[in-house]
Amino acid sequence: MKNLKGIFSALLVSFNEDGSINEKGLRQIIRHNIDKMKVDGLYVGGSTGENFMLSTEEKKQIFRIAKDEAKDQVALIAQVGSVNLKEAVELGKYATELGYDSLSAVTPFYYKFSFPEIKHYYETIIAETGNNMIVYSIPFLTGVNIGVEQFGELYKNPKVLGVKFTAGDFYLLERLRKAYPEKLVWAGFDEMMVPAASLGVHGAIGSTFNVNGLRARQIFELTQAGQVKEALEIQHVTNDLIEGILANGLYLTIKEILKLQGVDAGYCREPMTAKATEAQLVRAKELYEQFLK
Ligand code: NGF
């Protein structure tokens, strides 16, 4: 298994206008992340990959293309979580056979699953695949909150490496770091990297790293080195960019910025708005020129 610490881009996927996967564009996004953003790894099949709108076969295709393009150049994490546990297992087996360094699975959502049901979900994926697991906790989208003791229950399985923590609850993050210092944490909110890194997270997984990965690394490493004032200055610039991206449409704007850098990042997948309006294109160009050129 590769080192899973550091800066991971949550991989964007390029779609054609009809919603099909644009393989050439996806390969370009992967190359851009490895060669230009110098990331340590890729988180494939996450929210940023518009994963929850895709078929099982499409998810497999993306895992296959990402591995084929990245080879062993960077660490690879496959997000296989699904409310369909059988699909999660099938995807987990597939990604494991491809050689992904770890799996990750979003907490099962939509139905109000009990904690024993959530634990069974993770235990089943691990038992069926034999791979490592990173819990993907993103309560603001799933509505699923896991407490300190419940994390402890999941962490009893040594295959559970830790959590991708996409939340602004720094009290919970601190409690987790104290209670389970041997377990890894990846910060999920790019705009909160300084506080997360101050609390000792081991890595970060973010959508904006697809275009702002170099600054993300600076923020992370400066904070780790105790140079918080310097890190915060870069975080301020980063957050001006992120604020602009969020206001203009998250994935769509990152894709338009990539296109300005010669990467065929394509369209988004419906029911998300697939194509940028003229005003969104103009704003994406402004953000690119102000922050990334
Ligand atoms: O896009 C989302 C969902 N969150 C990402 C990241 O946590 C998602 C975050 O980078 C991710 O890793 C994944 O693809 O599964 C934000 O986009 C960023 O901080 C801007 O808010 O909200």
Side-chain angles (χ1 to χ4, degrees):
M1 180 182 58
K2 282 202 165 52
N3 177 16
L4 293 174
K5 296 178 183 173
I7 301 298
F8 279 67
S9 270
L11 187 68
L12 285 161
V13 174
S14 178
F15 294 98
N16 297 307
E17 203 166 359
D18 66 4
S20 58
I21 293 165
N22 172 356
E23 175 167 346
K24 190 162 148 273
L26 174 56
R27 287 181 184 272
Q28 288 178 14
I29 296 174
I30 295 162
R31 287 261 57 89
H32 177 83
N33 271 298
I34 298 173
D35 300 336
K36 304 273 171 50
M37 295 297 104
K38 310 278 184 203
V39 295
D40 298 304
L42 298 171
Y43 188 83
V44 185
S47 320
T48 307
E50 300 172 60
N51 174 76
F52 302 107
M53 295 173 283
L54 306 183
S55 71
T56 309
E57 280 316 308
E58 288 172 317
K59 293 176 192 181
K60 285 184 178 175
Q61 190 187 348
I62 291 163
F63 288 141
R64 196 164 60 237
I65 294 168
K67 178 64 185 177
D68 184 62
E69 189 60 47
K71 305 234 164 19
D72 288 323
Q73 287 185 273
V74 293
L76 292 176
I77 301 171
Q79 196 297 121
V80 300
S82 166
V83 275
N84 176 352
L85 180 53
K86 285 189 191 303
E87 183 194 37
V89 168
E90 183 180 337
L91 292 171
K93 285 183 178 168
Y94 190 76
T96 301
E97 276 162 25
L98 285 173
Y100 275 68
D101 298 286
S102 179
L103 305 178
S104 179
V106 70
T107 51
F109 52 89
Y110 189 79
Y111 300 101
K112 298 286 174 209
F113 295 106
S114 66
F115 181 70
E117 288 168 334
I118 293 173
K119 188 172 178 198
H120 171 73
Y121 163 91
Y122 284 109
E123 292 292 345
T124 303
I125 302 171
I126 294 166
E128 294 278 339
T129 64
N131 206 339
N132 299 306
M133 172 58 66
I134 297 165
V135 175
Y136 180 8
S137 178
I138 181 161
F140 91 102
L141 289 182
T142 58
V144 180
N145 286 286
I146 303 181
V148 181
E149 289 77 22
Q150 293 176 332
F151 270 108
E153 283 297 309
L154 299 178
Y155 285 170
K156 281 183 185 159
N157 187 326
K159 292 275 184 189
V160 180
L161 302 179
V163 59
K164 171 163 131 48
F165 189 88
T166 307
D169 184 346
F170 292 108
Y171 178 46
L172 176 60
L173 178 54
E174 181 277 330
R175 292 287 81 191
L176 292 175
R177 292 290 298 120
K178 164 96 186 334
Y180 316 110
E182 72 288 0
K183 294 294 180 181
L184 302 176
V185 182
W186 293 260
F189 271 134
D190 317 355
E191 53 277 43
M192 303 181 196
M193 197 187 255
V194 169
S198 300
L199 286 167
V201 300
H202 306 84
I205 299 170
S207 65
T208 62
F209 305 166
N210 284 273
V211 291
N212 195 46
L214 300 179
R215 275 200 195 98
R217 179 179 299 284
Q218 286 180 311
I219 297 170
F220 192 64
E221 291 181 353
L222 283 168
T223 309
Q224 282 186 321
Q227 294 176 255
V228 176
K229 188 168 168 287
E230 290 81 356
L232 200 48
E233 277 166 24
I234 305 171
Q235 183 83 73
H236 287 319
V237 179
T238 286
N239 287 4
D240 289 344
L241 168 64
I242 293 177
E243 193 174 38
I245 288 175
L246 289 173
N248 200 48
L250 177 58
Y251 307 132
L252 194 138
T253 304
I254 301 176
K255 287 183 181 186
E256 291 306 327
I257 291 173
L258 280 168
K259 285 184 204 167
L260 293 164
Q261 295 172 293
V263 177
D264 180 12
Y267 298 88
C268 287
R269 174 78 170 224
E270 288 182 346
M272 270 188 198
T273 303
K275 196 173 177 181
T277 63
E278 198 50 45
Q280 284 173 310
L281 290 177
V282 169
R283 185 64 185 134
K285 188 153 187 276
E286 281 171 6
L287 291 169
Y288 167 64
E289 281 173 358
Q290 187 178 352
F291 295 104
L292 296 164
K293 207 168 173 183

